[in-house]
Amino acid sequence: MPLLLASTSPYRRELLGRLGLPFDTARPETDETPHAGEAPAALAARLAVAKAAAIAALHPQAWVIGSDQVAEFDGRPIGKPGDRAGALAQLTAMSGREVRFLTGLCVLRHDQAPLTALDTTVVRFRELSGEEIARYVDAEQPYDCAGSFKSEGLGISLFEAIESRDPTALIGLPLIATARLLREAGYRLP
């Protein structure tokens, strides 16, 4: 059965590769604008389904994996910082605070009901000085990461604790749930 990852994220591609299944990637053309009043968890779930559905419509014989992660800080979604100034501002605001990372997941074939999951990971940042934040941002340049850090790299040094059911979820694709949904779709995994 053909398998497609509805993402061109190198992080998600590397994670899915760990499962040992052959797959291709495709860029979904999906509007990621939150709806008025949409909760971060609902946004992550909706976008995961929308990304999978966009690719499944183009490849009707394939199973498609869609995933989207929304960082929630003070009840609001926060996005990727985009540049150094944005990363410095995000990390300064999050110093000593908690951020929830909601990762929506969907495995879908165009003629099947979507298989879905939602993972929540809570990151507790330690108190960070401006100098520590600047050193980190200059070292890893996490401009394409929601929350302005790479937990699989030096970003781990920014935290006091991580609460998670799945350590891969924070990187962008919860492999425990992905493996479960792929088994439900008929893929053979250990």
Side-chain angles (χ1 to χ4, degrees), residues 1 7 10 18 22 28 45 47 54 69 73 84 86 88 98 103 146-147 154-156 158 171 183 185-186:
M1 295 181 288
S7 174
R18 292 184 192 181
L47 291 177
Q69 187 175 76
F73 181 59
R84 185 178 191 276
L88 293 172
E98 283 188 357
T103 307
L154 185 58
I156 198 76
L158 305 174
I171 303 170
R183 283 191 299 272

Side-chain angles (χ1 to χ4, degrees), residues 113-136:
L115 305 170
T116 61
L118 181 70
D119 184 273
T120 301
T121 299
V122 178
V123 173
R124 277 185 263 140
F125 285 85
R126 60 185 181 79
E127 291 288 338
L128 302 167
S129 71
E131 184 180 311
E132 289 172 317
I133 292 169
R135 269 197 319 266
Y136 170 71

Side-chain angles (χ1 to χ4, degrees), residues 4-6 28 30 46-59 62-67 105-110 114-115:
L4 292 170
L5 175 62
T30 306
R46 178 177 62 81
L47 291 177
V49 172
K51 289 176 178 183
I55 300 303
L58 301 173
H59 302 274
W63 281 95
V64 181
I65 300 169
S67 182
L105 178 65
C106 177
V107 174
L108 173 69
R109 196 167 84 178
H110 95 99
L115 305 170

